[in-house]
């Protein structure tokens, strides 16, 4: 059974930092395409950052230079380091794993940035 569990969200002031974690069981993050998405109130879910099985990373324009996605294969965990947070980063952040034809999602973790 595949499970993704996010943690690390919370309330932070604008300009601050948070690190989100996504602990994965049932599949290997090193063999999967992992991503972080987010959904703000009243808005559609949007892709934020991703790391491919070969380690290639990519970011949505609005977070480039501020967010960093990484993974620890030994811990089977994916991280999202978020720096210089802005009010517009407020959202529920979801971890996603794509393994072959299957997609898996976590339950999400709330990030709230106060202005």
């Amino acid at each position: 059974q595949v499970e993704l569990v996010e943690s690390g969200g919370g309330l932070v002031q604008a300009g601050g930092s948070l690190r989100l974690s996504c602990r994965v069981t049932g599949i290997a993050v090193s063999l999967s395409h992992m991503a972080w998405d987010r959904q703000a109130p009243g808005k559609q879910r949007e892709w934020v950052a991703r790391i491919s099985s070969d380690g290639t990373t990519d970011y949505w324009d609005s977070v480039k230079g501020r967010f960093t996605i990484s993974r620890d294969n030994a811990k089977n965990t994916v991280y999202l380091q978020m720096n210089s947070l802005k009010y517009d980063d407020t959202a529920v952040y979801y971890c996603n794993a794509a393994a072959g034809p299957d997609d898996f999602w976590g339950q999400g973790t709330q990030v709230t940035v106060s202005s």
Side-chain angles (χ1 to χ4, degrees):
Q1 184 175 353
V2 178
E3 187 176 24
L4 284 67
V5 179
E6 301 100 331
S7 61
L11 174 63
V12 63
Q13 288 188 334
S17 298
L18 283 174
R19 189 178 80 155
L20 306 183
S21 299
C22 174
R23 181 172 55 84
V24 181
T25 55
I27 56 173
V29 299
S30 61
L31 301 178
S32 307
H33 298 291
M34 303 297 301
W36 287 94
D37 288 15
R38 68 186 181 188
Q39 186 165 20
K43 295 185 178 181
Q44 288 189 332
R45 187 175 296 195
E46 62 182 10
W47 159 75
V48 174
R50 59 190 174 199
I51 181 167
S52 300
S53 56
D54 66 1
T56 303
T57 59
D58 201 4
Y59 301 91
W60 188 244
D61 284 348
S62 67
V63 306
K64 280 182 180 177
R66 301 189 297 121
F67 290 11
T68 302
I69 188 171
S70 62
R71 69 185 184 210
D72 185 327
N73 294 338
K75 295 182 178 180
N76 216 37
T77 299
V78 177
Y79 303 98
L80 185 67
Q81 178 67 44
M82 306 186 294
N83 299 327
S84 302
L85 281 161
K86 304 176 181 179
Y87 176 77
D88 288 346
D89 294 320
T90 296
V92 178
Y93 284 72
Y94 298 91
C95 181
N96 166 250
D102 300 314
D103 251 340
F104 305 95
W105 295 91
Q107 82 289 349
T109 185
Q110 176 70 48
V111 171
T112 302
V113 184
S114 62
S115 58

